[in-house]
Amino acid sequence: MEHEARMRLALEEARRAAEEGEVPVGCVIVDAQGRVIGRGRNRREQKKSALAHAEIEAIEQACRALNDWRLTGCFMYVTLEPCPMCAGAAINARLARIYYGAREEHSGACGSVFNMFVENLPNKPQIFGGILEAECAALLSEFFQGLRRKGQTGSGLPDPSNSGSS
């Protein structure tokens, strides 16, 4: 299925983030013809920036590729349900659809905590969750288990294995 293939591209970005010591979240944006025009991964630790989320990086790259801030007709694939900041960026960029993998029980803005996409906002992307959910959730779980083994904390995201979320 094309959605799984695209989510696997996002998973590649998430794995790269994990290799760099970042919370493993990856994102790709495809245009109406199915071409990947934006890629991103978490880089908050590297950039020392709260804004360095995978979705923001992918949106910025896609905007440069199209030479426009409007990503009308484009689809986002992200391994973890977007937070409020990233959901807002997707709305403002006028993305048509968002496909995500794992639910984010602590700050998910696509229905886990609240749903920004039911509000009276000018753009309402269609939301599809659970794409390769087990694989996306396992990558996050493994990352946090590794941190615990090393005695490290402070990744910025709650450890999903301590909260009962997958």
Side-chain angles (χ1 to χ4, degrees):
M1 171 179 246
E2 72 183 65
H3 299 305
E4 289 179 358
R6 292 171 180 165
M7 187 61 75
R8 289 196 190 290
L9 296 175
L11 275 162
E12 287 175 19
E13 292 298 321
R15 287 185 188 97
R16 288 179 64 196
E19 290 168 5
E20 296 167 354
E22 300 280 355
V23 174
V25 178
C27 181
V28 296
I29 296 177
V30 299
D31 67 11
Q33 289 75 44
R35 297 175 298 203
V36 175
I37 59 169
R39 293 177 182 266
R41 63 185 179 275
N42 272 359
R43 295 184 205 234
R44 291 186 303 174
E45 299 299 330
Q46 284 177 39
K47 293 185 175 185
K48 307 294 185 225
S49 173
L51 305 177
H53 286 211
E55 299 95 323
I56 301 299
E57 190 171 273
I59 288 170
E60 287 177 335
Q61 196 177 93
C63 288
R64 283 193 303 273
L66 296 181
N67 196 32
D68 196 348
W69 63 268
R70 294 170 198 86
L71 300 178
T72 307
C74 296
F75 301 167
M76 173 186 283
Y77 292 83
V78 61
T79 58
L80 184 66
E81 179 181 1
C83 71
M85 174 181 70
C86 294
I91 289 167
N92 285 321
R94 298 186 179 168
L95 285 164
R97 293 183 183 165
I98 299 172
Y99 296 89
Y100 69 87
R103 291 174 52 91
E104 203 337 340
E105 300 294 337
H106 301 282
S107 64
C110 299
S112 289
V113 175
F114 67 98
N115 189 343
M116 285 184 65
F117 303 97
V118 297
E119 301 301 323
N120 190 23
L121 296 168
N123 182 53
K124 292 183 185 176
Q126 292 179 306
I127 308 300
F128 303 91
I131 311 296
L132 299 180
E133 181 175 14
E135 195 171 337
C136 293
L139 184 58
L140 285 160
S141 245
E142 290 165 15
F143 174 81
F144 285 111
Q145 288 170 6
L147 286 182
R148 280 196 309 281
R149 280 192 299 273
K150 294 176 186 176
Q152 297 175 345
T153 59
S155 65
L157 250 182
D159 182 343
S161 62
N162 286 339
S163 68
S165 67
S166 29

